[in-house]
Amino acid sequence: MSETKLFDSVVVGGGPAGYTAALYASRASLSTLVLERGMPGGQIATSDLIDNYPGIPNLSGAELGQRMADHAQQAGALLEYGSVSHISRSSEGIFDIVTDVDTYKARSVIVATGATPRTAGFAGEETFRGRGVSYCATCDGMFYKDKQVFVIGGGNSACEEAIYLSNIAREVQIVLRRDEFRASRGMVNRVLACKNTSVRYLTSISEISGETFISSITFKNNETGTLNIEEFDPGSVGIFVATGHTPETELVRDLVELDHDGSVIVDDSMATRIPGLFCAGDMRSGSLRQVITAAADGAIAGVSAYKYVEQTLGLSL
């Protein structure tokens, strides 16, 4: 944009939370801009299939993300592509949002930059992401009904994933690089009580291979360094990486309060401690990190931005 326009609300991030926030803000008559650095949908765009969004089963993440973007724009939201590098608020209560393309001004800002799953780092991990490698049992577990799955990780999150999958998969094996869990004793006891679940201690996955789907996994004994290749029927096995998520909070780190995991602390209206600044979706503390909950967060944030602009700034909208 050649001239700086003051928007009622600028949404940073084009995932389910961001586009839902833009939809609700636009429908409430706020002039709304969405700033997205990649393809619509954010992290869900990398998923081959979304099967747990109510009313829209069996849709690719890329298509769902595009539909959300189209819906927000049909409601009146504008879309600009750019990577946001800085957000600040003046003493007059106006925000400056700086990107690699331009600078934008807003009366309110909704940040929905998500969280990035921590990868395990084995060869083939990115290649088979969404085609045998997953980072969310709640999202993808049903694709492995009566199949064999491996869960990488030894913390509470990995144990929760394994317990969830034990009710779906035929066999669950936890791949643990050390000789003991990091999870709480109670959580470990729950995992070990699952009849179809076992643990490979002192083990890592070093490589996976195949054509369309995984057909072989190379396991490494972390004590001896020995490599062991196991073969599988393509499509019969899944790997769930449960090593945690990194909230994308760098933009607001100096403006908001963070919890022990580095997620943004918000109230029930998605408001931060900075008036007019809202955070929604996977980056916020306590998020379930599902498409539907991210969208719900976005709806709340969009309505909250409207109330803030109307009531706090005394505008007639």
Side-chain angles (χ1 to χ4, degrees), residues 43 47 49-52 117 130 132-145 149-152 156-169 171-174 197 238-245 288-291:
Q43 187 180 311
S47 298
L49 191 65
I50 302 292
D51 197 41
N52 58 354
V133 176
S134 174
Y135 300 85
C136 175
T138 308
C139 309
D140 301 330
M142 287 305 298
F143 299 136
Y144 299 92
K145 184 175 177 61
V149 298
F150 296 92
V151 177
I152 299 177
N156 284 333
S157 295
C159 290
E160 290 171 357
E161 296 278 272
I163 293 169
Y164 181 88
L165 290 166
S166 70
N167 296 308
I168 300 171
E171 180 181 357
V172 179
Q173 290 191 20
I174 299 175
T197 301
I239 298 173
F240 286 81
V241 180
T243 53
H245 289 73
L288 182 59
R289 297 197 173 100
Q290 297 289 292
V291 178

Side-chain angles (χ1 to χ4, degrees), residues 59-133:
L59 194 67
S60 74
E63 186 176 355
L64 181 57
Q66 188 61 59
R67 287 191 185 187
M68 289 180 170
D70 292 343
H71 197 174
Q73 290 178 88
Q74 288 166 11
L78 299 178
L79 171 62
E80 294 283 336
Y81 288 97
S83 181
V84 178
S85 59
H86 185 70
I87 298 174
S88 60
R89 184 176 185 271
S90 70
S91 58
E92 290 78 24
I94 300 299
F95 291 89
D96 284 312
I97 304 96
V98 180
T99 75
D100 53 352
V101 177
D102 213 332
T103 298
Y104 306 87
K105 291 186 177 295
R107 295 186 173 96
S108 66
V109 174
I110 301 170
V111 181
T113 46
T116 304
R118 298 189 185 108
T119 59
F122 53 81
E125 180 176 4
E126 189 59 35
T127 301
F128 288 93
R129 182 169 182 163
R131 293 187 292 113
V133 176

Side-chain angles (χ1 to χ4, degrees), residues 267-289:
D267 64 16
D268 290 344
S269 66
M270 302 298 143
T272 70
R273 66 184 182 186
I274 299 296
L277 177 62
F278 305 88
C279 290
D282 290 4
M283 69 179 302
R284 77 163 178 91
S285 180
S287 172
L288 182 59
R289 297 197 173 100

Side-chain angles (χ1 to χ4, degrees), residues 215-232:
S215 60
S216 73
I217 302 176
T218 301
F219 295 93
K220 178 183 178 181
N221 185 306
N222 293 331
E223 190 171 35
T224 64
T226 304
L227 298 179
N228 178 44
I229 300 176
E230 297 186 16
E231 305 289 339
F232 302 90

